[in-house]
Amino acid sequence: MAVAVRVIPCLDVDDGRVVKGVNFENLRDAGDPVELAKRYDKEGADELTFLDVTASRHGRGTMLEVVRRTAEQVFIPLTVGGGVRTEADVDQLLRAGADKVSVNTAAIARPELLGELSRRFGAQCVVLSVDARRVPDGAEPQPSGFEVTTHGGTRSAGIDAIEWARRGQELGVGEILLNSMDGDGTKTGFDVELIDKVAAAVDVPIIASGGAGHAEHFVPAVAAGADAVLAASIFHFGEVAISEVKQALSKGGYEVRT
């Protein structure tokens, strides 16, 4: 039996509120995270992802409270990322009610962290978040043509994105959240070339993120190798319903949970 494709709303949380912008700029308020999470649960979301976009500046207290309140009221799996640097951070988030924790910048700084987290909490709890973009003209070339970025896609990490995904799998992550920084907030469709290259390099599930604008955009992402599809603003502002995405995937021949 085919594994159902998961449809995942992503909530970027800034100081306890959901925000959304284009390429992480011009953020606008999209509501209370717990209320949105409850709405998505009712609408048939398979999972939820919370990204604490200002964790590095504001500390973690606000986000832990959001996770606790959400876990009390919503019963689909919850992944939390943003500012996760240590085993203690992961422990706190899991105790607050998160099912999985996504790690990005801290893993680039010290890749061994991924192995330590996987051994302590289990691979199923550890998601490597890869913020990838096409290598800009004049920048240091990478074999795949895609590089890893930090700081919301604004700085190159000088690492090949496909190689980094492969390394994450070797270190023991259970899943890869693949963010196309070129596509973020543009609504022009997922970067299928990026998804295809990562899918050819790893066996762990891939969550495709960045670029969704219409229900039809999700089908090519899955055809390219994504196991789950993630979007933010089109869900938050009612432009596309989760049910529409699932209908499009089902029409495309993919299994979905109804």
Side-chain angles (χ1 to χ4, degrees):
M1 185 179 140
V3 175
V5 177
R6 291 166 289 147
V7 179
I8 306 173
C10 178
L11 293 80
D12 293 333
V13 180
D14 178 4
D15 213 15
R17 298 289 292 177
V18 176
V19 294
K20 194 57 199 159
V22 177
N23 302 122
F24 290 89
E25 290 177 356
N26 303 319
L27 299 178
R28 59 178 170 150
D29 189 282
D32 175 71
V34 183
E35 291 307 312
L36 270 175
K38 279 160 62 177
R39 190 183 103 196
Y40 291 138
D41 191 11
K42 283 198 187 82
E43 288 178 5
D46 297 299
E47 294 184 13
L48 291 169
T49 293
F50 280 173
L51 291 180
D52 190 347
V53 295
T54 47
S56 47
R57 295 207 297 276
H58 288 107
R60 181 152 309 278
T62 310
M63 194 62 178
L64 286 169
E65 191 50 39
V66 168
V67 172
R68 270 190 210 101
R69 284 169 51 219
T70 304
E72 281 166 10
Q73 299 180 54
V74 176
F75 303 101
I76 52 178
L78 176 60
T79 300
V80 184
V84 175
R85 296 187 183 85
T86 64
E87 288 187 37
D89 290 339
V90 175
D91 189 56
Q92 274 191 316
L93 286 164
L94 294 175
R95 286 175 189 277
D99 298 276
K100 298 185 263 190
V101 175
S102 103
V103 188
N104 186 337
T105 310
I108 294 168
R110 198 173 72 80
E112 304 76 34
L113 176 66
L114 296 172
E116 291 161 10
L117 296 177
S118 180
R119 284 189 293 275
R120 177 165 170 191
F121 301 105
Q124 78 286 348
C125 289
V126 185
V127 180
L128 174 61
S129 181
V130 180
D131 289 350
R133 69 176 176 192
R134 282 177 165 71
V135 177
D137 291 341
E140 180 190 343
Q142 297 297 340
S144 71
F146 290 92
E147 65 177 1
V148 176
T149 67
T150 60
H151 299 80
T154 59
R155 288 191 206 170
S156 171
I159 305 169
D160 184 87
I162 312 315
E163 198 43 56
W164 179 230
R166 190 185 284 120
R167 180 92 196 277
Q169 175 176 292
E170 285 168 5
L171 287 163
V173 305
E175 199 161 45
I176 288 165
L177 173 53
L178 183 61
N179 310 301
S180 164
M181 304 316 290
D182 299 314
D184 177 71
T186 61
K187 302 183 187 173
T188 52
F190 290 91
D191 192 327
V192 291
E193 184 190 351
L194 174 63
I195 297 164
D196 180 64
K197 285 187 171 183
V198 174
V202 302
D203 301 317
V204 295
I206 296 166
I207 305 165
S209 165
H214 306 283
E216 294 69 36
H217 282 160
F218 292 83
V219 179
V222 178
D227 302 271
V229 281
L230 178 145
S233 57
I234 60 167
F235 293 147
H236 303 338
F237 299 116
E239 294 160 39
V240 178
I242 289 163
S243 58
E244 291 176 77
V245 174
K246 291 196 171 186
Q247 281 164 7
L249 288 167
S250 187
K251 271 191 200 155
Y254 297 103
E255 187 86 21
V256 290
R257 293 189 192 92
T258 50

